[in-house]
Amino acid sequence: MRWLLLMGIVFGLVTGVRNGWLELHWDRVLHDVGVPFVPDPDQAPGPPAGTAR
């Protein structure tokens, strides 16, 4: 019964990510896990955090 519930949760999460119901921000996930992560160098940098225009 536990395995069935676990498989249902995993199936729901995978389906939600695939259909766009859930968004994963991999940079935040990897930062929380502690994996060094270099953002996409082709992406234009935005303004520094905490600056008001």
Side-chain angles (χ1 to χ4, degrees):
M1 187 67 181
R2 291 181 200 165
W3 286 106
L4 185 63
L5 181 61
L6 182 62
M7 287 174 21
I9 290 171
V10 169
F11 178 75
L13 286 174
V14 169
T15 303
V17 170
R18 188 180 326 147
N19 290 337
W21 303 332
L22 299 171
E23 288 185 6
L24 290 177
H25 297 274
W26 289 108
D27 55 344
R28 293 181 186 175
V29 172
L30 293 174
H31 181 269
D32 289 344
V33 174
V35 175
F37 175 72
V38 177
D40 187 8
D42 296 335
Q43 193 177 33
T51 58
R53 288 188 166 180

